[in-house]
Amino acid sequence: MSQQVVDTTLVPIIVDPYYKIQKGPTIYIDEIHNNFHTKEGRFKPFSTLLERDGYKVYSLENYDLLKTKDVLVISNAIHSNNIRNWEQPIHDAFSSEDIQILKKWVEAGGRLLIIADHMPFSGATNTLANAFGFDFCDGFAQLSKPEGESDLFSEENNRLLVSKITDGTYGKSIKSVTTFMGSSFQIPEKAIGILKFKKGDECLQPEIAWQFDENTPSKDLEDSYQGAILDFGKGKLAVFGEAAQFTAQTITNENGTFHVGFNSETAPNNVDFIRNLMRWLSTK
């Protein structure tokens, strides 16, 4: 049995913050939808990193707090029926009213980061994603790679596409990003892909999360993505299919204790990638 624990010890000190401390844009982290990741919980390293970059970071418990040009991060929302019940059917985490509010807010200038991990989170978030033209495979995205290697999206392996998030426009130039077993999605025509799967990568779709056998349905992920951005109306949208890359955790099992997230030695560029992405989201 693996034990997963948030790791707040290896959040880097930022010597060149983009904004003076507490003077940057406002970022809210959603806590309305039974979120697996919250500001003071599994996303504490993420919120601390952003605060060290000068952002003002708060939990969101009411849509009325949102102003145009604020950034809202929704990570791993889930319906109450699927809390500790990661088995089909996966219910929508967002009501039609939720979706209408969020879509209108982004159209008016809001900045939204949607993160939906492997099943059940990708399924729970798909109706919201559909409203912006994205479509999740509710499963586990698996890269075609040697066993034991990290899920590496790099320019070298043609899975990291050059974009304004990676080319130095909004910070450091990024040549690779590491993720940790997430989900996949297809993107609308006007979106800009960032993390792209290749032919031979696959989405495994079990009836119960983490339970796989030779009969588990799978889908080839050619032309699917794990990260993309989109200008939407007057606002901006970023969609990602893996949450651990944005935070820091330790996992302990029979083989020892391992860093999983931007604290991992396999993910040396993730912090700079996060900083670039959030700067793009929060600026004009």
Side-chain angles (χ1 to χ4, degrees):
M1 180 71 68
S2 296
Q3 182 180 11
Q4 180 178 307
V5 179
V6 65
D7 178 8
T8 59
T9 65
L10 293 179
V11 180
I13 301 297
I14 296 177
V15 297
D16 57 342
Y18 289 143
Y19 306 100
K20 292 181 179 180
I21 300 304
Q22 285 293 302
K23 298 297 184 181
T26 296
I27 295 178
Y28 286 102
I29 298 178
D30 180 41
E31 297 190 10
I32 299 174
H33 303 96
N34 306 302
N35 304 76
F36 196 69
H37 292 90
T38 57
K39 178 182 182 294
E40 298 298 323
R42 290 179 175 88
F43 255 25
K44 178 63 174 175
F46 174 69
S47 61
T48 298
L49 178 69
L50 297 183
E51 288 167 345
R52 290 178 177 177
D53 225 356
Y55 296 95
K56 300 184 289 286
V57 186
Y58 306 101
S59 299
L60 184 77
E61 298 178 353
N62 189 321
Y63 290 128
D64 293 339
L65 296 172
L66 287 175
K67 297 181 176 63
T68 305
K69 305 292 175 62
D70 287 345
V71 179
L72 173 61
V73 180
I74 300 176
S75 181
N76 282 355
I78 195 168
H79 191 281
S80 57
N81 288 350
N82 290 118
I83 296 175
R84 293 182 293 277
N85 174 32
W86 293 6
E87 179 176 357
Q88 297 288 355
I90 305 303
H91 302 273
D92 290 341
F94 299 89
S95 67
S96 57
E97 182 181 8
D98 287 328
I99 294 169
Q100 184 179 28
I101 289 170
L102 291 169
K103 188 174 181 181
K104 286 185 176 180
W105 173 71
V106 176
E107 286 178 327
R111 317 300 175 90
L112 178 61
L113 169 56
I114 298 173
I115 304 170
D117 224 318
H118 53 68
M119 174 200 177
F121 305 108
S122 42
T125 303
N126 201 35
T127 303
L128 174 63
N130 290 165
F132 295 97
F134 294 80
D135 189 40
F136 276 92
C137 175
D138 188 26
F140 292 75
Q142 182 169 285
L143 271 63
S144 176
K145 58 182 175 59
E147 186 174 354
E149 285 194 6
S150 300
D151 291 346
L152 184 70
F153 291 80
S154 70
E155 288 187 10
E156 184 177 357
N157 67 20
N158 297 314
R159 288 188 173 98
L160 180 67
L161 305 184
V162 177
S163 71
K164 63 186 74 176
I165 307 301
T166 63
D167 67 5
T169 301
Y170 288 93
K172 291 186 178 179
S173 177
I174 306 292
K175 300 298 183 184
S176 68
V177 175
T178 303
T179 70
F180 302 87
M181 179 65 85
S183 65
S184 60
F185 52 84
Q186 294 183 314
I187 66 175
E189 183 178 350
K190 292 184 179 180
I192 298 171
I194 299 175
L195 308 182
K196 186 175 184 179
F197 292 103
K198 297 169 65 174
K199 185 175 179 62
D201 299 339
E202 60 181 344
C203 174
L204 299 174
Q205 299 175 276
E207 285 292 315
I208 302 174
W210 296 110
Q211 295 190 19
F212 310 103
D213 58 34
E214 64 275 5
N215 297 316
T216 300
S218 68
K219 171 187 174 183
D220 191 273
L221 290 180
E222 186 177 18
D223 296 326
S224 292
Y225 295 80
Q226 199 166 66
I229 58 175
L230 175 67
D231 290 312
F232 192 86
K234 296 180 180 178
K236 293 181 178 182
L237 176 72
V239 180
F240 282 81
E242 204 280 313
Q245 66 177 301
F246 290 94
T247 189
Q249 306 168 116
T250 61
I251 291 182
T252 301
N253 57 30
E254 64 274 9
N255 297 315
T257 298
F258 307 91
H259 293 139
V260 176
F262 63 64
N263 58 335
S264 171
E265 61 279 0
T266 69
N269 301 315
N270 282 33
V271 165
D272 289 324
F273 181 80
I274 293 166
R275 296 181 69 201
N276 292 1
L277 177 67
M278 299 309 294
R279 193 176 186 188
W280 173 79
L281 268 173
S282 64
T283 55
K284 290 183 180 180

